[in-house]
Amino acid sequence: MQDKNDAAILKRDAIRKANKVMFGAVAGASAILGIAIVGCIFLYQNIMFQGKVIGEQSKSLQNMDQNIKNIDVLKKKLVALQTNDDLRNTPKINDEDNNLRAILDALPADENVAALGASLTQKIFDVPGVSVESITPNPVAVDVNLSDKNTSETNTSATATTATTAQPTDEKDSKNKTGLKAIEVVASLTAKDVASSESGLSKLVEVLKKMERSIRSFRITNFKFEKSKGTYTLNLTLQAFYMPEYQMALDSKTVKADENAKPAGANTNTKNTTKGNVK
């Protein structure tokens, strides 16, 4: 009887030991599986993040390659312009300048108010019999919208005083902005009638024709003709255009592992790629 009890006790002990070993084995396998799953998730996220970084870096390299090609194309176009017959025959401020100077004369890269005033006085308003009473440039540049319709009907009459005004249109439509800037100039010109020669009015009209033929584009936004005792006066407000230099700079883009994650202090899992464009 005692032997049977001892055998039962030994069997129970063996079962408990087996249960402990099985529990330990299952717990260890579960821990290893959990660590493996977390490691796989982290490895997957890291692979995806590195893929995003490599993708952005590839775009930057493509932009740089395209920039190099654009520079070569630009050089060829500049060489072609230097031998362009139309530019060669275009009047320039200094006849000794090369063909490319005609482009800068037509559309400068800055406002250069002093040069603009000198050009108007010495080139455009330089008509025999016409006197420049005043010329006032406004150094504050404005954006230009070429979709504006600035044509206005004009009426003249043979009265002692004749006035015609063209009003500028609204330029609030930012969708049509071109990158062009304009400097406004207010000028007052006078010309007198000469009995044996042309009238003062025709001389002032010649000023407007010279402005129309000028290599540099002007837009008259307001003008007024007046006549008093044989003297004609032309008061006008005009805009002279220029295009600022293109500023090329390198951009820096931050690549985030999780676009939806909120910043968590200074330690962020990000990398920077650099790219730039040449136009």
Side-chain angles (χ1 to χ4, degrees), residues 20-176:
K20 289 181 180 180
V21 173
M22 183 60 67
F23 178 79
V26 172
S30 299
I32 293 173
L33 180 61
I35 294 172
I37 292 174
V38 172
C40 290
I41 293 174
F42 175 78
L43 182 62
Y44 172 78
Q45 291 177 342
N46 192 51
I47 291 174
M48 295 299 294
F49 172 66
Q50 295 297 332
K52 291 172 65 176
V53 172
I54 293 173
E56 293 297 332
Q57 290 175 342
S58 298
K59 292 180 181 179
S60 297
L61 293 175
Q62 291 175 0
N63 287 335
M64 293 178 183
D65 290 338
Q66 187 61 45
N67 290 343
I68 295 173
K69 295 177 181 178
N70 291 344
I71 290 174
D72 293 335
V73 173
L74 184 59
K75 289 180 179 178
K76 293 179 181 178
K77 290 183 177 180
L78 289 176
V79 172
L81 288 175
Q82 287 178 347
T83 59
N84 185 277
D85 292 334
D86 293 332
L87 288 178
R88 183 184 296 111
N89 298 326
T90 300
K92 296 177 281 292
I93 295 178
N94 296 317
D95 295 334
E96 300 81 14
D97 293 333
N98 61 30
N99 291 351
L100 297 179
R101 185 65 199 181
I103 299 175
L104 297 178
D105 290 343
L107 192 63
D110 54 58
E111 64 276 13
N112 200 346
V113 177
L116 173 61
S119 177
L120 287 172
T121 303
Q122 300 172 10
K123 299 290 184 179
I124 305 298
F125 299 157
D126 185 22
V127 175
V130 174
S131 300
V132 180
E133 300 299 327
S134 65
I135 178 169
T136 307
N138 183 356
V140 179
V142 296
D143 292 326
V144 176
N145 184 343
L146 292 184
S147 67
D148 291 344
K149 305 299 182 181
N150 282 327
T151 56
S152 302
E153 295 183 358
T154 61
N155 296 317
T156 60
S157 62
T159 59
T161 301
T162 303
T164 306
T165 303
Q167 296 294 341
T169 58
D170 190 5
E171 294 184 1
K172 293 183 179 179
D173 185 9
S174 60
K175 294 182 180 180
N176 296 316

Side-chain angles (χ1 to χ4, degrees), residues 113-255:
V113 177
L116 173 61
S119 177
L120 287 172
T121 303
Q122 300 172 10
K123 299 290 184 179
I124 305 298
F125 299 157
D126 185 22
V127 175
V130 174
S131 300
V132 180
E133 300 299 327
S134 65
I135 178 169
T136 307
N138 183 356
V140 179
V142 296
D143 292 326
V144 176
N145 184 343
L146 292 184
S147 67
D148 291 344
K149 305 299 182 181
N150 282 327
T151 56
S152 302
E153 295 183 358
T154 61
N155 296 317
T156 60
S157 62
T159 59
T161 301
T162 303
T164 306
T165 303
Q167 296 294 341
T169 58
D170 190 5
E171 294 184 1
K172 293 183 179 179
D173 185 9
S174 60
K175 294 182 180 180
N176 296 316
K177 291 291 169 29
T178 60
L180 292 174
K181 299 284 186 179
I183 290 294
E184 189 175 78
V185 179
V186 179
S188 178
L189 312 175
T190 60
K192 294 183 179 180
D193 285 331
V194 179
S196 61
S197 182
E198 297 179 347
S199 67
L201 178 61
S202 64
K203 296 175 183 178
L204 294 178
V205 171
E206 178 62 24
V207 171
L208 298 179
K209 289 181 179 179
K210 287 186 67 175
M211 189 177 300
E212 185 178 7
R213 295 192 299 265
S214 172
I215 187 175
R216 184 166 183 177
S217 297
F218 295 98
R219 180 166 64 182
I220 297 176
T221 58
N222 185 287
F223 69 93
K224 179 188 294 184
F225 279 108
E226 294 181 346
K227 179 183 179 182
S228 177
K229 297 179 180 181
T231 299
Y232 287 89
T233 301
L234 171 60
N235 298 313
L236 73 157
T237 302
L238 59 89
Q239 289 181 335
F241 303 108
Y242 73 95
M243 178 173 285
E245 296 179 355
Y246 178 78
Q247 300 295 329
M248 186 183 69
L250 294 177
D251 297 330
S252 179
K253 182 177 180 180
T254 300
V255 180

